[in-house]
Amino acid sequence: MANILVTGSKGQLGTELRKTGFTLLDEVFYTDLPELDITDEQAVWNFVREKEIDTIVNCAAYTAVEQAEEEKERAAFINTTAVANLAKVAAAEDCLLIHISTDYVFDGTATVPYTEKDRPCPQNVYGMTKWEGERAIQKSGCLAVILRTAWLYSANGNNFVKTILRLASEKGEVSVVADQIGTPTYAADLAKVIVEIVAENELENTVEIYHYTNEGACSWYEFAREIIAQSGIECKVHPLTTAQYPTKAKRPAYAILDKTKIKRRYGIEIPLWQEALGRCLTALSETDKG
């Protein structure tokens, strides 16, 4: 039995964790603003002690990559300072901290999938604040699992899948970057892995870093084409280069994560991204019907 605190529970991953659920013996506290402000260190101390929390799953994050270039302090407050607060409390109260990080900690210059041993070199504010959050955890001395993921989407919230479906329905024609390669990740699949890690609760080291995405790789253009193909919407998809679609935040051109470590450690089989997308589209259609 565990007393589990889930932060950022209204986001994509937090919502999927709520749907997946932990064991019946666990008591789970799903929090977001206003229930708990993790940027307030004293509030974190009070909550963890009052509820006798022994496991913290941090799904809270500032994820507006473009906006982060203009709101550096706010992004750092949520992605670094708040994470440091959680890590500090976890270390003092002997909690396990599970923290979600990102492929954006890498610069995207690799030609083979990034492993957990590769040195981060973020190229934008979002990636830098997430990496600094990772480092805060490592410096704290708490027991922690850092899960780096990429291209997260679900049937909830705002994400690439829902944006493409909306644009395809409204315009019948979309243009998408074709020279940035990565792997889409269905939040429901990541949630299941988190539940498994919590259930086992055994670490070989003080801090373990794992990479998790769905299997396979594609460009954003290929991802968009698959979304439209599986949804059955009539829409043309045109490829763009990164140069043709300039953004404030520099994106990694290659952001494929090697998942060998987590597969070996937990003996899991990871679904292909195309299959995972199909399940998400089914969930979306059921939501629309409901």
Side-chain angles (χ1 to χ4, degrees), residues 61-71 74-75 79 126 249 251:
Y62 182 107
T63 58
V65 178
E66 282 295 282
Q67 202 168 332
E69 298 295 314
E70 302 295 332
E71 296 185 346
R74 184 161 181 259
N79 292 343
Y126 167 69
R251 262 78 168 176

Side-chain angles (χ1 to χ4, degrees), residues 96 116 145 147 193 196-205 208-211 259-270:
L96 168 64
E116 292 82 355
V145 173
L147 286 169
V193 173
E196 185 167 339
I197 292 171
V198 170
E200 182 178 298
N201 196 11
E202 292 182 8
L203 300 185
E204 296 175 359
N205 299 299
E208 289 286 0
I209 300 176
Y210 294 106
H211 290 171
K259 298 171 287 292
T260 302
K261 181 179 176 181
I262 197 167
K263 287 191 286 188
R264 286 178 177 171
R265 174 65 181 81
Y266 291 98
I268 59 175
E269 291 187 10
I270 301 176

